[in-house]
């Protein structure tokens, strides 16, 4: 690329200084863009795209990140919301690489050499390694998130297509500038073929985009019912009576919880096998803190504070929105018994679905018997019980035929049962399968759905219900985030591609005209220099 004068001297000096760290005039003389410099520019472009893709994945991860925080707490006994450092580092890497790319494109338009400084080269390599490590860790430890990303494309695909077309259209100017500055035919042809190939692929990308939200308004299925995941854990400490009551205020149809059985055979609500995350057991019973909740008797369990941790750790960054009265109620929460929750559910006519933990306990059959007996003695209508545990299911069916059986493992499904009820991770079911289940009168509850974009996709697909931490958010949604008739989307697609093509063509034609104007002036300068050189030799 020949050096040109496409912008003012001051701008060129500033851009080159930031990109190449060459601020002095004498350090910039004679600089030209080499093949190595072009390779580094290509590497910069790839790293920027790589970081953007990771940013997209990081935003998708937010729906399930609370589960990851819980997992790390069980490993380290240290609570941190790791989504904040993850997003912070990701945004930093994306911002750095994007700014560097913008600098490079501006230098190209100004006709300046692309001499990337060695510090920038090292930081780009570090950025690529960090993002690659993040993807590897995701693949090794959290593989189901690839399915989350696939589902997310059904919510964002049309908008990503518009953004990508806008990006490739903006690149038309620097690409055309580079094309007309390059003297050799082979690099020019290669550049043009690559650019036009990518552009054509993006123009045709909607052929591969499918979304259940591409439908007419009158085809939209009913809004999925809400199941409160451990109650309303963004508004109150999870698995407490306060959390149950808050979820009732969110119009949930089902209270999803977890049940354990104490040493003296009292079923109570608790998700983790140990009590360290959601109680002050380390202060009250420090020697027994790491023991299973099933080793404590009910009297001991009632001595524990099951609410203050919520205010101290603020797991969903929602405590600041609570009134002082609500915060006082949270501090007063104790571990509730199953009997207490059943009475609340009976009063509000709310169904209860629960896991019975721990499944691998040697006395699990006794846990099942005690739990069934507690439910039957409570007087709650049996149809409000959604029985989820797979262990000893046939025994439970005989003891309590009125319970509604809901299945979480495919191996335990009774295909002949009608109506069949399923409780599945949303990553395990495609939107097409959801539609087929709906047609076959199979009720599907999907968990855990917190983000409005995900709820919108599952709503359009026809999910019967979802389990959520954010019942107060999803309650307010009157319709999916977007709903577009397929014919309208087809028209938008064609218009965007046509406008992009016209802008792209205009950029190439305008720069071709500019380059032709410069050629005669450059030719006259070359002739003048030749004559001067000849005279000096004489």
């Amino acid at each position: 690329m020949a050096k040109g004068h496409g912008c003012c001297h001051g701008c060129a000096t500033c851009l080159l200084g930031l990109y190449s760290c060459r601020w002095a005039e004498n350090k910039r003389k004679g600089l030209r863009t080499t093949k190595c410099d072009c390779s580094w520019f290509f590497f910069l472009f790839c790293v920027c795209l790589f970081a953007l893709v990771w940013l997209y994945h990081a935003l998708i991860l937010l729906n399930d990140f609370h589960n990851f925080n819980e997992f790390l707490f069980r490993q380290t006994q240290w609570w941190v919301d790791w989504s904040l450092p993850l997003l912070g580092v990701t945004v930093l890497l994306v911002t750095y690489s994007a700014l560097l790319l913008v600098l490079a494109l501006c230098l190209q338009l100004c006709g300046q050499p692309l001499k990337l400084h060695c510090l920038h080269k090292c930081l780009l390599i570090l950025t690529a390694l960090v993002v690659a490590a993040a993807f590897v860790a995701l693949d090794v430890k959290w593989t189901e998130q690839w399915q989350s990303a696939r589902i997310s494309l059904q919510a964002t695909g049309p908008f990503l297509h518009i953004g990508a077309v806008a990006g490739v259209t903006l690149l038309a100017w620097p690409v055309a500038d580079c094309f007309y500055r390059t003297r050799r035919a082979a690099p020019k042809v290669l550049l043009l073929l690559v650019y036009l190939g990518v552009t054509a692929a993006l123009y045709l990308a909607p052929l591969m985009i499918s979304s259940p939200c591409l439908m007419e308004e009158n085809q939209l299925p009913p809004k999925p019912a809400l199941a409160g995941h451990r109650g309303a854990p963004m508004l109150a400490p999870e698995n407490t009576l306060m959390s149950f009551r808050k979820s009732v205020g969110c119009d949930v149809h089902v209270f999803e919880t977890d049940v354990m059985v104490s040493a003296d055979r009292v079923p109570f609500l608790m998700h983790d096998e140990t009590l360290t995350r959601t109680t002050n057991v380390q202060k009250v019973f420090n020697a027994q803190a790491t023991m299973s909740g099933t080793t404590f008797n009910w009297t001991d369990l009632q001595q524990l504070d099951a609410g203050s941790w919520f205010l101290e750790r603020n797991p969903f960054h929602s405590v600041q929105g609570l009134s002082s009265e609500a915060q006082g109620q949270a501090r007063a929460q104790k571990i509730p018994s199953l009997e207490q929750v059943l009475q609340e559910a009976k009063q509000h006519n709310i169904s209860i679905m629960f896991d019975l933990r721990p499944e691998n306990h040697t006395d699990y059959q006794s846990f099942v018997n005690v739990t069934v007996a507690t439910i039957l003695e409570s007087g709650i209508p049996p149809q409000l019980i959604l029985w989820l545990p797979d262990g000893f299911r046939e025994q439970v069916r005989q003891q309590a035929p009125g319970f509604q059986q809901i299945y979480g493992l495919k191996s335990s499904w009774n295909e002949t049962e009608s109506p069949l009820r399923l409780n599945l991770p949303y990553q395990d079911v495609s939107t097409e399968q959801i539609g087929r289940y709906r047609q076959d009168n199979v009720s599907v509850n999907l968990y855990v759905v917190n983000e409005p974009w995900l709820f919108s996709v599952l709503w359009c697909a026809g999910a019967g219900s979802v389990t959520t931490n954010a019942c107060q958010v999803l309650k307010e949604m009157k319709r999916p985030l977007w709903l577009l008739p397929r014919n309208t989307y087809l028209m938008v697609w064609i218009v965007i591609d046509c406008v992009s093509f016209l802008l792209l063509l205009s950029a190439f034609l305008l720069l071709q005209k500019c380059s032709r104007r410069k050629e005669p002036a450059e030719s006259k300068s070359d002739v003048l220099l030749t004559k001067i050189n000849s005279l000096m030799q004489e």
Side-chain angles (χ1 to χ4, degrees):
M1 288 174 224
K3 184 178 178 180
H5 303 280
C7 59
C8 69
H9 178 75
C11 290
T13 299
C14 182
L15 293 171
L16 196 59
L18 292 171
Y19 189 80
S20 306
C21 295
R22 298 173 188 267
W23 298 94
E25 182 72 29
N26 61 333
K27 292 183 179 181
R28 301 199 300 269
K29 289 182 178 179
L31 291 178
R32 295 181 65 86
T33 301
T34 64
K35 291 182 179 179
C36 182
D37 296 326
C38 292
S39 298
W40 275 107
F41 173 77
F42 179 72
F43 180 69
L44 166 61
F45 184 78
C46 292
V47 168
C48 187
L49 284 181
F50 197 32
L52 279 171
V53 172
W54 172 248
L55 175 61
Y56 178 83
H57 276 81
L59 293 173
I60 298 305
L61 288 174
L62 292 180
N63 182 80
D64 304 294
F65 219 88
H66 185 72
N67 295 339
F68 183 68
N69 290 336
E70 289 183 1
F71 168 77
L72 289 180
F73 178 86
R74 288 192 288 270
Q75 304 301 314
T76 64
Q77 296 299 303
W78 185 38
W79 180 267
V80 175
D81 183 3
W82 292 100
S83 64
L84 298 180
L86 172 76
L87 283 178
V89 171
T90 302
V91 169
L92 179 64
L93 297 179
V94 170
T95 303
Y96 169 71
S97 57
L99 288 176
L100 206 56
L101 181 60
V102 170
L103 280 176
L105 293 174
C106 291
L107 283 172
Q108 168 60 30
L109 290 173
C110 289
Q112 298 297 316
L114 300 180
K115 291 290 182 182
L116 188 64
H117 192 267
C118 59
L119 177 61
H120 287 316
K121 293 177 181 178
C122 294
L123 290 176
L124 280 178
I125 293 173
L126 180 62
T127 298
L129 291 175
V130 169
V131 175
F135 274 115
V136 170
L138 183 67
D139 189 59
V140 171
K141 293 294 186 180
W142 214 356
T143 54
E144 63 269 21
Q145 288 305 314
W146 295 116
Q147 295 300 320
S148 300
R150 178 184 58 80
I151 295 171
S152 73
L153 291 176
Q154 297 183 334
T156 61
F159 307 100
L160 290 178
H161 167 249
I162 295 173
V165 170
V168 81
T169 304
L170 290 174
L171 283 176
W173 191 274
V175 168
D177 183 70
C178 182
F179 177 80
Y180 290 119
R181 288 180 187 275
T182 304
R183 302 300 183 188
R184 296 173 57 189
K188 292 179 71 168
V189 172
L190 179 62
L191 175 65
L192 194 61
L193 287 177
V194 170
Y195 179 72
L196 292 180
V198 171
T199 303
L202 288 176
Y203 284 173
L204 298 176
L207 294 174
M208 306 297 294
I209 293 175
S210 65
S211 172
C213 291
L214 291 173
M215 64 165 63
E216 299 289 342
E217 185 86 31
N218 57 12
Q219 296 175 322
L220 182 65
K223 180 179 178 179
L226 301 180
H229 186 231
R230 310 173 199 169
M234 292 186 178
L235 304 177
E238 66 178 57
N239 282 337
T240 60
L241 291 178
M242 179 182 178
S243 187
F244 175 87
R245 290 163 184 157
K246 290 288 186 180
S247 69
V248 171
C250 293
D251 298 334
V252 302
H253 290 67
V254 178
F255 176 58
E256 188 279 338
T257 186
D258 310 275
V259 174
M260 299 178 73
V261 178
S262 67
D264 52 350
R265 294 298 184 262
V266 177
F268 64 95
L269 271 55
M270 183 61 57
H271 176 269
D272 298 0
E273 186 170 350
T274 65
L275 310 177
T276 52
R277 183 174 64 86
T278 56
T279 72
N280 63 339
V281 67
Q282 290 173 312
K283 292 182 180 179
V284 181
F285 302 108
N286 185 54
Q288 300 170 265
T290 58
M291 298 176 66
S292 170
T294 59
T295 62
F296 292 81
N297 60 44
W298 180 239
T299 303
D300 292 338
L301 291 172
Q302 285 297 282
Q303 297 181 44
L304 300 178
D305 176 357
S308 295
W309 70 272
F310 175 74
L311 302 175
E312 294 165 3
R313 294 175 183 160
N314 197 9
F316 293 99
H317 304 284
S318 56
V319 169
Q320 58 273 17
L322 300 181
S323 65
S324 56
E325 181 183 357
Q327 293 185 29
Q329 291 177 359
R331 288 190 186 92
Q333 293 303 299
K334 299 292 184 181
I335 297 175
S337 68
L338 178 60
E339 170 64 25
Q340 291 174 309
V341 175
L342 290 171
Q343 294 304 322
E344 290 279 345
K346 182 169 65 172
Q347 177 183 344
H348 296 283
N349 197 36
I350 298 291
S351 295
I352 289 188
M353 175 173 62
F354 60 87
D355 286 304
L356 186 58
R357 302 174 182 273
E359 294 88 347
N360 58 354
H361 198 282
T362 54
D363 208 15
Y364 192 74
Q365 185 173 8
S366 172
F367 291 173
V368 171
N369 292 334
V370 169
T371 302
V372 171
T374 300
I375 295 172
L376 294 177
E377 291 170 4
S378 70
I380 189 173
Q383 65 270 19
L384 293 181
I385 302 299
L386 305 181
W387 186 266
L388 184 58
D390 283 307
F392 307 98
R393 187 183 289 272
E394 287 304 317
Q395 173 186 318
V396 173
R397 199 191 302 270
Q398 294 174 7
Q399 293 177 351
F403 291 179
Q404 297 189 58
Q405 300 294 323
I406 184 165
Y407 299 91
L409 297 175
K410 189 170 183 178
S411 58
S412 64
W413 295 1
N414 182 354
E415 299 288 352
T416 61
E417 184 174 339
S418 180
L420 179 60
R421 294 178 175 84
L422 306 178
N423 181 59
L424 303 170
Y426 73 89
Q427 299 100 329
D428 288 359
V429 189
S430 68
T431 53
E432 293 79 10
Q433 287 176 308
I434 294 173
R436 288 195 293 269
Y437 284 140
R438 183 167 175 265
Q439 291 175 358
D440 295 338
N441 198 32
V442 175
S443 176
V444 181
N445 179 72
L446 301 171
Y447 64 90
V448 173
V449 178
N450 301 317
E451 296 294 329
W453 67 262
L454 179 57
F455 184 68
S456 296
V457 172
L458 300 179
W459 182 349
C460 294
S465 61
V466 299
T467 298
T468 180
N469 292 321
C471 59
Q472 77 282 4
V473 175
L474 304 188
K475 170 193 173 184
E476 300 301 326
M477 292 183 64
K478 307 304 180 186
R479 65 193 307 276
L481 290 179
W482 65 272
L483 197 66
L484 198 63
R486 189 169 294 274
N487 290 336
T488 303
Y489 176 58
L490 179 63
M491 184 173 62
V492 171
W493 164 32
I494 293 173
V495 169
I496 288 174
D497 284 1
C498 289
V499 170
S500 170
F501 179 76
L502 290 175
L503 293 174
L504 185 153
L505 189 61
S506 300
F508 272 84
L509 292 176
L510 182 60
L511 284 175
Q512 182 187 39
K513 187 176 180 180
C514 293
S515 66
R516 284 179 177 176
R517 285 180 179 176
K518 291 179 181 179
E519 284 177 0
E522 291 175 357
S523 299
K524 291 178 181 179
S525 299
D526 292 340
V527 171
L528 181 60
L529 288 172
T530 303
K531 288 181 178 181
I532 293 173
N533 188 43
S534 300
L535 289 171
M536 291 180 66
Q537 289 178 355
E538 291 176 1

